[in-house]
Amino acid sequence: MSQLLDVLSDSIRREIVHFFENYADSRTVSFDELVSHIESRMPEKGKEELAVGLVHTHLPKLDHAGWLDHDYRTDEIRYHGHENAEEWLRDLCDVFSDRPGRGSGGAVQ
C-alpha cells in the first residue's frame, strides 16, 4: 500500500496513469506522445522540464513498481497498469487535489 501511495502521490505520475487509462489508443506510445499529452493537460510545466522529470523520476518509479516499461533505445513506453488503477485515481484525486471537487472529470491533480 505504501508503494501504491508513493507511485500515485505525484500529479505527473497520476497524469501518466490517467493518460493510459483514458486517452491512449494502445498500451504502447512514444515518449514524445506522452510528453505532448501531459504538457497539454499541465501547461504550467514546460516541455523540457516534463521530459527531464519523466526520464529521471516518474518513468523509473512507475517502471520499478511494475506499471510500465520504458525502452530507452526506441523511446517507447509500454503500459501494464493495474486492474484497479482508474478506481484508485478517482479515490486519490480528491485526497491530493488542492482544488476540491475536481474528481476524475477534470485534469488529474
Side-chain angles (χ1 to χ4, degrees), residues 52-73:
V52 169
L54 287 171
V55 168
H56 294 287
T57 304
H58 305 296
L59 295 176
K61 189 167 284 238
L62 287 164
D63 190 349
H64 180 73
W67 287 67
L68 57 75
D69 294 312
H70 180 197
D71 185 335
Y72 291 92
R73 292 172 292 131

Side-chain angles (χ1 to χ4, degrees), residues 4 7-8 12-31 34 38 58-59 61-63 65-71 75-89 108:
L4 168 69
V7 166
L8 295 178
I12 293 175
R13 288 191 296 276
R14 286 194 307 276
E15 192 60 50
I16 293 167
V17 173
H18 184 70
F19 167 72
F20 280 104
E21 292 289 329
N22 295 287
Y23 293 98
D25 293 331
S26 74
R27 300 295 241 184
T28 303
V29 299
S30 71
F31 179 78
L34 181 62
I38 295 172
H58 305 296
L59 295 176
K61 189 167 284 238
L62 287 164
D63 190 349
W67 287 67
L68 57 75
D69 294 312
H70 180 197
D71 185 335
D75 241 357
E76 287 188 336
I77 300 158
R78 177 156 177 75
Y79 181 71
H80 307 295
H82 189 283
E83 64 185 34
N84 297 320
E86 191 58 33
E87 177 185 347
W88 290 336
L89 282 177
V108 176

Side-chain angles (χ1 to χ4, degrees), residues 15 18 23 36-44 102 104-109:
E15 192 60 50
H18 184 70
Y23 293 98
S36 292
H37 173 81
I38 295 172
E39 184 182 28
S40 74
R41 303 259 301 165
M42 304 175 96
E44 70 279 5
R102 291 294 302 221
S104 61
V108 176
Q109 298 294 316

